[in-house]
Amino acid sequence: MSERRAILDGSTYEEQIGCARAVADGDWVRVSGATGSDYRTMTISDDDVEQAEQCLRTIEYALEEADRTFADVVRVRCLLLDRDGFGPCRHLLRGRFGDVRPAVKMVVCDLAGPE
């Protein structure tokens, strides 16, 4: 049986909801949905590009804690409030995943809050 390990980042949501930033289990690491919030300070930028960058920093932290990198990612899901908001952020994904080429899915949907 593989060892299951919760990776925490100190977000208040981890305690409120009873979840982890990520879970490492055997060869797999599953990272929880990341928003543009800086979970350590519980602040969020008004800028879409900065929010996307913060999402990637949050994911990178979880991967590093699991001894992984963006090169290990096989799937990315982007949940967007507005399809037009993603355009300025494309270069960020390309910068992290351009050579990795994970499967990517983008969905426009309602989120828990407008931020």
Side-chain angles (χ1 to χ4, degrees):
M1 183 174 195
S2 63
E3 183 177 326
R4 182 179 185 274
R5 181 171 63 97
I7 296 168
L8 306 176
D9 68 4
S11 164
T12 58
Y13 297 123
E14 291 172 339
E15 186 61 33
Q16 291 171 354
I17 299 170
C19 62
R21 166 57 42 216
V23 176
D25 191 4
D27 291 336
W28 291 95
V29 177
R30 290 174 174 86
V31 179
S32 292
T35 68
S37 293
D38 180 332
Y39 295 107
R40 293 189 176 137
T41 62
M42 293 308 290
T43 59
I44 189 166
S45 171
D46 290 332
D47 182 73
D48 290 344
V49 174
E50 177 53 35
Q51 286 187 30
E53 183 62 46
Q54 181 59 51
C55 287
L56 292 166
R57 284 192 297 265
T58 298
I59 294 164
E60 185 172 39
Y61 165 81
L63 292 171
E64 287 174 354
E65 289 295 306
D67 297 321
R68 305 294 197 287
T69 69
F70 284 114
D72 297 303
V73 173
V74 298
R75 178 184 290 174
V76 176
R77 292 185 190 118
C78 297
L79 306 177
L80 310 167
L81 279 174
D82 176 342
R83 71 177 45 103
D84 296 329
F86 184 72
C89 302
R90 290 176 194 254
H91 72 282
L92 298 174
L93 287 184
R94 176 80 180 162
R96 299 305 203 296
F97 299 113
D99 294 333
V100 179
R101 307 275 185 185
V104 176
K105 180 178 188 175
M106 294 182 193
V107 177
V108 176
C109 61
D110 273 340
L111 299 175
E115 64 282 351

